[in-house]
Amino acid sequence: MFSIYILTYNEEIDIAACIESALLCDDIIVVDSFSSDRTLEIVQNYPVQTVQHGFETHGRQRTWMLQEVECKYEWVYILEADERMTPALFAECLKAIESQEYIGYYVAEKVIFMERWIRRSTQYPRYQMRLFRKDQVWFSDYGHTEREVCNGPTHFLKETYPHYTCSKGLSRWIEKHNRYSTDEAAETLRQLAAGQVNWWDLLFGASEVERRRALKDFSLRLPLRPVVRFFYMYILLGGFLDGQAGLAWCTLQAFYEYLILLKVWEMKHMPLPSLDAVDEQSISEVAKVEQSKVSYNLGASDTRS
């Protein structure tokens, strides 16, 4: 058997279905980032362990979870609240952990958007590290998300998991990607300043993960990135074959890319004031207010006299 970690923050819409999909496992741990909705109330209806930890970044949250939260088994699976475990995937995971050849396995996601599987414009199969030995994998930050660091050989599972990426509604998706775009803009500036493109992985990478990461670093250096991304997803990958949902998905991704570019410009041309400058400004404003009070009191005294 393996343990399942579920990461949550205000997931009252998804959490019940997520846990129910994972109940084939007898060790489920919900790691919550102090949700303010009914998430924890719903979780209490299921035989799961609950741990709370303040969210910093995706990479740090996962690494803290693996290091600090005990589980019953050597192997673990990370499940997001808007994802589902399937019986077929569960069975393949059980079979995979019998082998000692690999320390982790990648699993491909099936993005569900507007009640449709967006197969083409999501670069399917797009793999994520999900099943691994707890003491052999940790995570670092990259942009708004994370990248796994593996202490040993990895492999790929055949079964997939559904990812209901817009299950909480379009407004929540836009709100979330507004936050993500800030992290991606900062990562873009870091990569342009100090990063480089791994051309070998881009052209001859041995796995989808290596090729995708190299493509990500390459795309940061392209002009007209929103237009290029839409053309790549909708035309080259065949997103037009995904129907109305495919068009909406590609448009949203191009918008997201444009938002990142705008924030890159903002970070370069409109830097945040330093703490010292903020303190000096605050002191100046307080002094002006106090001076106004003095002037007003003097004027009132003259009037009374």
Side-chain angles (χ1 to χ4, degrees):
M1 183 57 74
F2 55 92
S3 299
I4 295 180
Y5 287 109
I6 301 178
L7 295 155
T8 62
Y9 176 69
N10 288 349
E11 301 290 354
E12 63 181 8
I13 293 176
D14 284 311
I15 190 58
C18 178
I19 292 177
E20 288 172 7
S21 75
L23 286 177
L24 289 169
C25 174
D26 66 353
D27 186 38
I28 300 174
I29 305 103
V30 173
V31 181
D32 183 73
S33 300
F34 294 97
S35 292
S36 58
D37 65 356
R38 296 179 58 249
T39 297
L40 294 181
E41 177 185 341
I42 296 171
V43 167
Q44 291 173 1
N45 296 320
Y46 297 94
V48 302
Q49 175 186 352
T50 304
V51 178
Q52 287 192 296
H53 182 255
F55 183 85
E56 295 181 76
T57 64
H58 289 277
R60 291 178 184 176
Q61 187 78 345
R62 282 161 173 74
T63 298
W64 177 87
M65 173 184 73
L66 296 171
Q67 292 176 346
E68 304 296 334
V69 182
E70 294 294 330
C71 61
K72 289 175 61 175
Y73 302 108
E74 176 187 22
W75 286 82
V76 299
Y77 187 100
I78 292 183
L79 190 63
E80 301 279 358
D82 58 359
E83 300 169 355
R84 305 289 182 266
M85 173 63 71
T86 68
L89 175 58
F90 188 85
E92 188 178 10
C93 288
L94 287 178
K95 185 175 181 179
I97 63 177
E98 294 176 358
S99 171
Q100 298 299 316
E101 186 176 358
Y102 304 103
I103 58 94
Y105 292 88
Y106 291 92
V107 186
E109 65 175 346
K110 293 176 66 173
V111 173
I112 310 298
F113 178 69
M114 293 178 66
E115 301 182 342
R116 175 167 180 162
W117 173 23
I118 309 299
R119 177 173 183 173
R120 297 165 183 85
S121 49
T122 53
Q123 296 175 284
Y124 178 85
R126 190 170 182 268
Y127 290 92
Q128 307 289 340
M129 174 57 63
R130 283 291 185 261
L131 178 69
F132 52 88
R133 282 178 51 183
K134 184 181 178 184
D135 60 341
Q136 298 297 319
V137 175
W138 60 96
F139 294 87
S140 62
D141 294 314
Y142 185 94
H144 83 273
T145 184
E146 75 287 336
R147 284 187 174 180
E148 66 281 353
V149 181
C150 303
N151 187 27
T154 59
H155 200 49
F156 298 82
L157 299 185
K158 294 180 180 179
E159 293 295 332
T160 62
Y161 63 89
H163 180 191
Y164 296 90
T165 185
C166 204
S167 58
K168 301 172 189 66
L170 190 56
S171 295
R172 177 80 175 262
W173 189 97
I174 293 174
E175 175 190 344
K176 180 172 65 175
H177 283 74
N178 180 40
R179 299 195 310 270
Y180 289 173
S181 63
T182 302
D183 295 332
E184 288 294 327
E187 186 64 42
T188 297
L189 290 175
R190 283 193 292 269
Q191 290 296 322
L192 294 178
Q196 59 183 1
V197 178
N198 189 325
W199 294 100
W200 179 266
D201 283 351
L202 180 63
L203 300 174
F204 308 108
S207 70
E208 184 274 337
V209 176
E210 293 175 351
R211 294 190 297 272
R212 173 162 46 87
R213 288 183 175 180
L215 179 61
K216 171 74 172 181
D217 294 337
F218 173 68
S219 69
L220 298 180
R221 293 158 172 81
L222 291 175
L224 302 175
R225 276 165 48 188
V227 176
V228 171
R229 183 165 188 178
F230 182 86
F231 180 81
Y232 172 70
M233 295 174 63
Y234 195 67
I235 304 299
L236 297 184
L237 293 182
F240 61 91
L241 297 173
D242 289 322
Q244 180 182 358
L247 175 60
W249 180 258
C250 294
T251 302
L252 284 173
Q253 295 301 321
F255 163 73
Y256 176 50
E257 201 72 47
Y258 186 52
L259 195 57
I260 294 171
L261 284 186
L262 289 176
K263 292 190 177 182
V264 167
W265 183 93
E266 184 178 58
M267 289 177 181
K268 290 169 65 176
H269 296 88
M270 301 175 62
L272 294 174
S274 66
L275 185 59
D276 292 340
V278 171
D279 290 343
E280 290 177 3
Q281 182 179 4
S282 299
I283 292 172
S284 176
E285 290 176 353
V286 170
K288 289 180 180 178
V289 171
E290 293 300 325
Q291 183 62 39
S292 298
K293 290 181 179 178
V294 171
S295 299
Y296 175 81
N297 290 335
L298 289 175
S301 299
D302 291 342
T303 302
R304 286 194 297 270
S305 63

